[in-house]
Amino acid sequence: MPAAGRELGAGREFAYTEQDFERVRGMIYARAGIRLEASKFNMVYSRLSRRLRALSLSSFRAYLDLLDADDAQEWQPFTNALTTNLTSFFREPHHFEVMERYLAEHGRRGAKFRIWSAACSTGEEAYSIAMRVVEHFNSWTPPVQIIASDLDTTCLDTAAAGVYPLARLENLPPAQLKRFFMRGRGANEGKARVRQDVRRLVEFQQLNLLSNAYPVEGVFDIIFCRNVMIYFDKVTQRKVVERLAARLRPDGLYFAGHSESLLHVSDTLKLVGQTVYAHAEQAEHMKRIYR
Ligand SMILES: C[S@@+](CC[C@H](N)C(=O)[O-])C[C@H]1O[C@@H](n2cnc3c(N)ncnc32)[C@H](O)[C@@H]1O
Protein backbone atom coordinates (compact mmCIF):
# COMPACT_ATOMS: atom_id res chain seq x y z
CA MET A 1 0.00 0.00 0.00
CA PRO A 2 1.29 3.46 -0.81
CA ALA A 3 1.91 5.66 2.20
CA ALA A 4 -0.80 8.24 2.94
CA GLY A 5 -0.59 11.35 0.79
CA ARG A 6 1.37 9.70 -2.00
CA GLU A 7 -0.37 10.33 -5.25
CA LEU A 8 0.34 7.50 -7.59
CA GLY A 9 -0.11 8.51 -11.16
CA ALA A 10 -2.73 11.19 -10.63
CA GLY A 11 -1.76 14.36 -12.49
CA ARG A 12 1.78 13.20 -13.09
CA GLU A 13 3.54 13.54 -16.42
CA PHE A 14 5.29 10.15 -15.99
CA ALA A 15 4.05 6.84 -14.55
CA TYR A 16 5.68 6.40 -11.13
CA THR A 17 4.99 3.78 -8.47
CA GLU A 18 6.21 2.77 -5.00
CA GLN A 19 8.04 -0.08 -6.65
CA ASP A 20 9.90 2.38 -8.91
CA PHE A 21 10.82 4.44 -5.86
CA GLU A 22 12.19 1.36 -4.07
CA ARG A 23 14.22 0.50 -7.15
CA VAL A 24 15.72 3.99 -7.22
CA ARG A 25 16.57 3.71 -3.52
CA GLY A 26 18.33 0.40 -4.08
CA MET A 27 20.25 1.67 -7.11
CA ILE A 28 21.57 4.88 -5.57
CA TYR A 29 22.53 3.02 -2.39
CA ALA A 30 24.50 0.43 -4.36
CA ARG A 31 26.17 3.05 -6.52
CA ALA A 32 26.86 5.93 -4.14
CA GLY A 33 26.09 4.62 -0.65
CA ILE A 34 23.33 7.25 -0.40
CA ARG A 35 20.39 6.21 1.80
CA LEU A 36 17.30 7.96 0.48
CA GLU A 37 14.68 8.23 3.19
CA ALA A 38 11.19 6.88 2.59
CA SER A 39 9.92 10.47 2.70
CA LYS A 40 11.81 11.34 -0.51
CA PHE A 41 9.20 9.81 -2.83
CA ASN A 42 8.18 13.12 -4.39
CA MET A 43 11.72 14.49 -4.44
CA VAL A 44 12.87 11.50 -6.50
CA TYR A 45 10.04 12.06 -8.96
CA SER A 46 10.87 15.71 -9.48
CA ARG A 47 14.65 15.19 -9.68
CA LEU A 48 14.48 12.35 -12.21
CA SER A 49 11.61 13.67 -14.33
CA ARG A 50 14.08 15.86 -16.22
CA ARG A 51 15.98 12.76 -17.28
CA LEU A 52 12.83 11.01 -18.50
CA ARG A 53 11.89 14.09 -20.50
CA ALA A 54 15.38 14.33 -22.00
CA LEU A 55 15.22 10.67 -23.03
CA SER A 56 11.56 10.87 -24.23
CA LEU A 57 10.48 8.10 -21.86
CA SER A 58 6.98 7.93 -20.41
CA SER A 59 7.47 5.83 -17.29
CA PHE A 60 9.95 5.43 -14.45
CA ARG A 61 9.91 1.72 -15.08
CA ALA A 62 11.25 2.21 -18.61
CA TYR A 63 13.91 4.58 -17.26
CA LEU A 64 15.03 2.19 -14.54
CA ASP A 65 15.03 -0.74 -16.98
CA LEU A 66 17.36 1.31 -19.14
CA LEU A 67 19.70 1.81 -16.17
CA ASP A 68 19.45 -1.89 -15.29
CA ALA A 69 20.39 -2.71 -18.86
CA ASP A 70 23.66 -1.07 -17.90
CA ASP A 71 23.44 1.92 -20.17
CA ALA A 72 26.64 3.37 -18.73
CA GLN A 73 25.96 6.85 -20.09
CA GLU A 74 22.86 7.30 -17.99
CA TRP A 75 24.33 6.25 -14.64
CA GLN A 76 26.11 9.57 -14.20
CA PRO A 77 23.10 11.85 -14.84
CA PHE A 78 21.03 9.55 -12.59
CA THR A 79 23.58 9.92 -9.78
CA ASN A 80 24.00 13.66 -10.34
CA ALA A 81 20.22 14.13 -10.08
CA LEU A 82 20.03 12.41 -6.70
CA THR A 83 22.91 13.96 -4.79
CA THR A 84 22.32 16.92 -2.48
CA ASN A 85 24.90 19.61 -3.05
CA LEU A 86 24.18 22.34 -0.51
CA THR A 87 27.38 24.18 0.41
CA SER A 88 28.77 27.68 0.89
CA PHE A 89 32.02 29.63 1.19
CA PHE A 90 33.66 29.33 4.62
CA ARG A 91 30.88 27.06 5.88
CA GLU A 92 31.61 26.05 9.48
CA PRO A 93 34.25 28.76 9.79
CA HIS A 94 35.99 27.29 12.86
CA HIS A 95 37.56 24.60 10.65
CA PHE A 96 39.46 27.27 8.72
CA GLU A 97 40.81 28.69 11.98
CA VAL A 98 41.97 25.20 13.02
CA MET A 99 43.50 24.67 9.58
CA GLU A 100 45.53 27.87 9.98
CA ARG A 101 46.65 26.79 13.44
CA TYR A 102 47.82 23.50 11.93
CA LEU A 103 49.78 25.31 9.19
CA ALA A 104 51.37 27.63 11.77
CA GLU A 105 52.17 24.71 14.11
CA HIS A 106 53.99 22.82 11.37
CA GLY A 107 55.68 25.88 9.91
CA ARG A 108 57.47 25.82 6.60
CA ARG A 109 58.81 22.44 5.75
CA GLY A 110 60.37 20.82 2.71
CA ALA A 111 57.28 19.07 1.38
CA LYS A 112 54.07 20.88 0.50
CA PHE A 113 51.10 20.60 2.83
CA ARG A 114 48.42 18.43 1.27
CA ILE A 115 44.74 19.20 1.88
CA TRP A 116 41.80 17.23 0.50
CA SER A 117 38.23 18.43 0.18
CA ALA A 118 36.67 14.98 -0.19
CA ALA A 119 33.06 15.88 -1.05
CA CYS A 120 33.60 19.31 -2.50
CA SER A 121 30.24 19.80 -4.23
CA THR A 122 30.42 22.98 -6.36
CA GLY A 123 33.85 24.01 -5.08
CA GLU A 124 33.15 26.62 -2.40
CA GLU A 125 34.87 24.52 0.29
CA ALA A 126 38.03 24.00 -1.77
CA TYR A 127 38.26 27.68 -2.79
CA SER A 128 37.73 28.73 0.83
CA ILE A 129 40.72 26.56 1.74
CA ALA A 130 42.74 28.09 -1.10
CA MET A 131 41.86 31.68 -0.17
CA ARG A 132 42.72 31.10 3.49
CA VAL A 133 46.00 29.46 2.56
CA VAL A 134 46.96 32.41 0.33
CA GLU A 135 46.12 34.76 3.21
CA HIS A 136 48.06 32.65 5.70
CA PHE A 137 51.27 32.50 3.66
CA ASN A 138 50.64 35.90 2.08
CA SER A 139 51.63 34.34 -1.22
CA TRP A 140 49.94 33.34 -4.49
CA THR A 141 52.21 30.30 -4.51
CA PRO A 142 51.72 28.87 -1.03
CA PRO A 143 53.41 25.54 -0.18
CA VAL A 144 50.09 23.71 -0.30
CA GLN A 145 48.49 21.24 -2.68
CA ILE A 146 44.69 21.15 -2.62
CA ILE A 147 42.79 18.20 -4.07
CA ALA A 148 39.02 18.45 -4.32
CA SER A 149 36.76 15.59 -5.31
CA ASP A 150 33.11 14.71 -5.61
CA LEU A 151 30.96 12.04 -7.19
CA ASP A 152 28.73 14.51 -9.01
CA THR A 153 30.20 15.59 -12.36
CA THR A 154 27.81 18.54 -12.80
CA CYS A 155 29.09 19.93 -9.50
CA LEU A 156 32.67 19.38 -10.57
CA ASP A 157 32.08 21.34 -13.80
CA THR A 158 30.71 24.27 -11.78
CA ALA A 159 33.62 23.97 -9.36
CA ALA A 160 36.25 24.01 -12.10
CA ALA A 161 34.62 27.04 -13.77
CA GLY A 162 34.61 28.87 -10.42
CA VAL A 163 31.75 31.17 -11.42
CA TYR A 164 29.17 31.96 -8.72
CA PRO A 165 26.12 34.21 -8.42
CA LEU A 166 26.98 37.29 -6.33
CA ALA A 167 24.27 36.25 -3.85
CA ARG A 168 26.46 33.30 -2.85
CA LEU A 169 29.29 35.67 -1.97
CA GLU A 170 27.22 37.99 0.22
CA ASN A 171 28.87 36.93 3.47
CA LEU A 172 32.43 37.41 2.28
CA PRO A 173 34.21 40.59 3.48
CA PRO A 174 34.77 43.20 0.74
CA ALA A 175 38.57 42.85 0.99
CA GLN A 176 38.33 39.13 0.26
CA LEU A 177 35.94 39.74 -2.64
CA LYS A 178 38.31 42.26 -4.13
CA ARG A 179 41.39 40.12 -3.72
CA PHE A 180 40.01 36.77 -4.87
CA PHE A 181 37.13 37.40 -7.32
CA MET A 182 36.48 39.13 -10.62
CA ARG A 183 33.05 40.61 -11.24
CA GLY A 184 31.29 39.37 -14.37
CA ARG A 185 30.15 41.74 -17.12
CA GLY A 186 27.65 41.39 -19.96
CA ALA A 187 26.32 37.83 -19.99
CA ASN A 188 28.03 37.25 -16.61
CA GLU A 189 26.46 40.29 -14.91
CA GLY A 190 25.39 39.33 -11.37
CA LYS A 191 28.14 36.72 -11.10
CA ALA A 192 31.76 36.63 -10.06
CA ARG A 193 34.62 34.35 -10.96
CA VAL A 194 37.30 33.05 -8.62
CA ARG A 195 40.60 34.48 -9.83
CA GLN A 196 42.86 32.24 -11.83
CA ASP A 197 45.56 32.58 -9.13
CA VAL A 198 43.21 30.82 -6.71
CA ARG A 199 41.67 28.39 -9.19
CA ARG A 200 45.04 26.98 -10.15
CA LEU A 201 45.70 26.02 -6.53
CA VAL A 202 42.91 23.44 -6.61
CA GLU A 203 42.85 20.17 -8.58
CA PHE A 204 39.31 18.88 -9.06
CA GLN A 205 38.62 15.26 -9.86
CA GLN A 206 35.81 12.75 -9.71
CA LEU A 207 35.95 10.29 -6.86
CA ASN A 208 33.34 7.97 -5.39
CA LEU A 209 33.95 7.65 -1.66
CA LEU A 210 32.42 4.19 -1.88
CA SER A 211 34.99 2.82 -4.30
CA ASN A 212 37.64 0.38 -3.07
CA ALA A 213 40.60 2.21 -4.53
CA TYR A 214 40.72 6.01 -4.37
CA PRO A 215 42.37 7.56 -7.41
CA VAL A 216 44.38 10.04 -5.33
CA GLU A 217 47.98 9.50 -4.36
CA GLY A 218 49.63 9.65 -0.97
CA VAL A 219 48.61 10.94 2.43
CA PHE A 220 47.12 14.25 3.51
CA ASP A 221 47.74 16.70 6.34
CA ILE A 222 44.09 17.70 6.45
CA ILE A 223 40.97 16.02 5.09
CA PHE A 224 37.70 17.92 4.89
CA CYS A 225 34.94 15.34 4.61
CA ARG A 226 31.94 17.39 5.62
CA ASN A 227 28.22 16.91 5.29
CA VAL A 228 28.33 13.77 3.20
CA MET A 229 28.40 11.05 5.89
CA ILE A 230 24.86 12.05 6.83
CA TYR A 231 23.68 10.47 3.58
CA PHE A 232 25.40 7.14 4.36
CA ASP A 233 24.33 4.37 6.75
CA LYS A 234 26.63 3.23 9.56
CA VAL A 235 28.15 0.36 7.57
CA THR A 236 29.12 2.71 4.73
CA GLN A 237 30.28 5.43 7.12
CA ARG A 238 32.65 2.95 8.79
CA LYS A 239 34.12 1.84 5.46
CA VAL A 240 34.59 5.37 4.17
CA VAL A 241 36.10 6.73 7.38
CA GLU A 242 38.60 3.87 7.59
CA ARG A 243 39.67 4.47 3.99
CA LEU A 244 40.06 8.18 4.60
CA ALA A 245 41.91 7.60 7.87
CA ALA A 246 44.40 5.47 5.95
CA ARG A 247 45.08 8.59 3.84
CA LEU A 248 45.57 10.89 6.81
CA ARG A 249 49.11 11.57 8.06
CA PRO A 250 49.77 10.29 11.59
CA ASP A 251 49.65 13.92 12.83
CA GLY A 252 46.91 15.00 10.41
CA LEU A 253 43.42 16.45 10.99
CA TYR A 254 40.03 15.28 9.73
CA PHE A 255 37.14 17.75 9.65
CA ALA A 256 33.58 16.40 9.81
CA GLY A 257 30.30 18.22 9.16
CA HIS A 258 28.44 20.00 11.99
CA SER A 259 25.96 17.15 12.54
CA GLU A 260 28.35 14.28 11.89
CA SER A 261 29.94 12.27 14.70
CA LEU A 262 32.47 9.50 14.29
CA LEU A 263 31.89 8.31 17.85
CA HIS A 264 30.41 4.91 16.96
CA VAL A 265 31.87 4.91 13.48
CA SER A 266 35.63 4.79 13.96
CA ASP A 267 38.13 3.59 16.54
CA THR A 268 40.94 4.96 14.40
CA LEU A 269 39.93 8.62 14.58
CA LYS A 270 39.10 10.42 17.82
CA LEU A 271 37.52 13.78 18.53
CA VAL A 272 40.11 16.46 19.36
CA GLY A 273 38.09 19.67 18.82
CA GLN A 274 34.70 20.81 17.53
CA THR A 275 34.02 18.23 14.77
CA VAL A 276 37.80 17.93 14.40
CA TYR A 277 39.31 14.42 14.51
CA ALA A 278 42.84 12.98 14.64
CA HIS A 279 44.41 9.53 14.84
CA ALA A 280 43.64 7.93 18.21
CA GLU A 281 47.33 7.60 19.18
CA GLN A 282 47.80 11.36 18.75
CA ALA A 283 44.44 12.40 20.20
CA GLU A 284 45.55 13.53 23.68
CA HIS A 285 48.40 15.60 22.27
CA MET A 286 46.23 17.07 19.49
CA LYS A 287 43.44 17.94 21.92
CA ARG A 288 45.78 20.26 23.77
CA ILE A 289 46.47 22.15 20.54
CA TYR A 290 43.15 22.13 18.67
CA ARG A 291 40.43 22.06 21.32
C1 LIG B 1 25.91 18.54 1.06
S1 LIG B 1 27.30 18.42 -0.03
C2 LIG B 1 28.61 18.90 1.07
C3 LIG B 1 29.58 19.85 0.41
C4 LIG B 1 30.69 20.39 1.33
N1 LIG B 1 31.55 19.33 1.79
C5 LIG B 1 30.13 21.16 2.49
O1 LIG B 1 30.16 20.68 3.64
O2 LIG B 1 29.61 22.26 2.27
C6 LIG B 1 27.52 16.66 -0.16
C7 LIG B 1 28.32 16.25 -1.37
O3 LIG B 1 28.66 14.87 -1.26
C8 LIG B 1 28.68 14.32 -2.56
N2 LIG B 1 28.58 12.85 -2.48
C9 LIG B 1 27.49 12.09 -2.18
N3 LIG B 1 27.80 10.79 -2.24
C10 LIG B 1 29.11 10.71 -2.58
C11 LIG B 1 30.01 9.64 -2.79
N4 LIG B 1 29.62 8.37 -2.69
N5 LIG B 1 31.28 9.92 -3.14
C12 LIG B 1 31.70 11.22 -3.27
N6 LIG B 1 30.89 12.27 -3.07
C13 LIG B 1 29.60 12.02 -2.73
C14 LIG B 1 27.51 14.97 -3.25
O4 LIG B 1 27.63 14.91 -4.66
C15 LIG B 1 27.56 16.38 -2.69
O5 LIG B 1 28.21 17.26 -3.55
Side-chain angles (χ1 to χ4, degrees):
M1 277 289 286
R6 288 185 179 185
E7 298 269 319
L8 295 185
R12 289 191 192 277
E13 186 180 352
F14 306 107
Y16 178 50
T17 66
E18 283 283 332
Q19 205 187 355
D20 298 329
F21 176 56
E22 289 308 325
R23 271 178 87 186
V24 171
R25 290 176 83 193
M27 286 165 150
I28 194 66
Y29 178 70
R31 192 169 178 78
I34 295 172
R35 270 260 168 252
L36 281 180
E37 285 164 29
S39 60
K40 303 293 183 193
F41 182 83
N42 289 328
M43 183 201 87
V44 163
Y45 180 85
S46 68
R47 296 248 190 119
L48 289 177
S49 288
R50 279 173 276 152
R51 294 308 308 155
L52 272 76
R53 214 167 287 128
L55 295 164
S56 305
L57 295 169
S58 60
S59 71
F60 270 64
R61 187 198 225 161
Y63 179 67
L64 300 174
D65 285 349
L66 183 141
L67 282 165
D68 263 346
D70 216 15
D71 183 318
Q73 281 190 342
E74 189 51 29
W75 274 111
Q76 192 61 57
F78 169 80
T79 310
N80 291 353
L82 294 176
T83 56
T84 300
N85 311 117
L86 185 76
T87 188
S88 57
F89 285 99
F90 295 101
R91 186 180 193 184
E92 297 163 48
H94 66 280
H95 285 150
F96 298 91
E97 308 310 322
V98 173
M99 178 183 83
E100 274 206 88
R101 233 181 295 156
Y102 181 93
L103 298 173
E105 186 75 18
H106 290 77
R108 271 191 189 274
R109 55 177 192 212
K112 281 188 170 189
F113 290 98
R114 300 189 79 225
I115 303 178
W116 183 7
S117 164
C120 68
S121 185
T122 38
E124 288 88 331
E125 182 174 278
Y127 289 132
S128 303
I129 297 168
M131 290 188 266
R132 187 53 60 84
V133 155
V134 167
E135 288 170 339
H136 179 79
F137 289 98
N138 197 20
S139 165
W140 292 107
T141 52
V144 180
Q145 184 189 20
I146 304 165
I147 308 281
S149 62
D150 201 279
L151 175 63
D152 185 329
T153 52
T154 311
C155 280
L156 288 169
D157 289 344
T158 305
V163 177
Y164 301 95
L166 290 177
R168 298 191 63 98
L169 310 177
E170 261 168 6
N171 295 329
L172 296 185
Q176 224 165 28
L177 281 177
K178 198 164 168 227
R179 188 170 183 195
F180 297 121
F181 291 86
M182 288 174 315
R183 247 175 202 276
R185 298 218 181 89
N188 282 321
E189 191 71 48
K191 296 182 188 158
R193 185 167 203 197
V194 178
R195 278 185 193 278
Q196 163 73 8
D197 287 324
V198 177
R199 276 186 284 127
R200 61 172 187 73
L201 297 177
V202 186
E203 295 164 41
F204 290 102
Q205 70 177 77
Q206 193 190 18
L207 184 146
N208 186 348
L209 289 166
L210 215 61
S211 62
N212 289 324
Y214 291 164
V216 289
E217 304 267 301
V219 289
F220 291 83
D221 294 276
I222 299 180
I223 298 177
F224 285 71
C225 186
R226 309 190 304 169
N227 305 303
V228 60
M229 290 292 169
I230 39 169
Y231 301 105
F232 300 156
D233 61 11
K234 282 274 177 281
V235 178
T236 309
Q237 289 183 3
R238 270 192 204 108
K239 259 191 240 162
V240 170
V241 171
E242 286 319 301
R243 275 177 207 155
L244 291 174
R247 295 313 195 91
L248 190 66
R249 278 174 61 107
D251 61 351
L253 294 175
Y254 174 107
F255 298 155
H258 60 284
S259 61
E260 297 169 329
S261 167
L262 305 187
L263 183 60
H264 299 297
V265 172
S266 173
D267 298 323
T268 313
L269 299 182
K270 293 272 177 247
L271 193 68
V272 298
Q274 189 190 347
T275 55
V276 178
Y277 290 82
H279 281 288
E281 311 79 63
Q282 297 282 330
E284 285 312 312
H285 166 67
M286 302 289 255
K287 256 186 214 167
R288 286 195 284 276
I289 309 175
Y290 299 108
R291 171 150 280 169

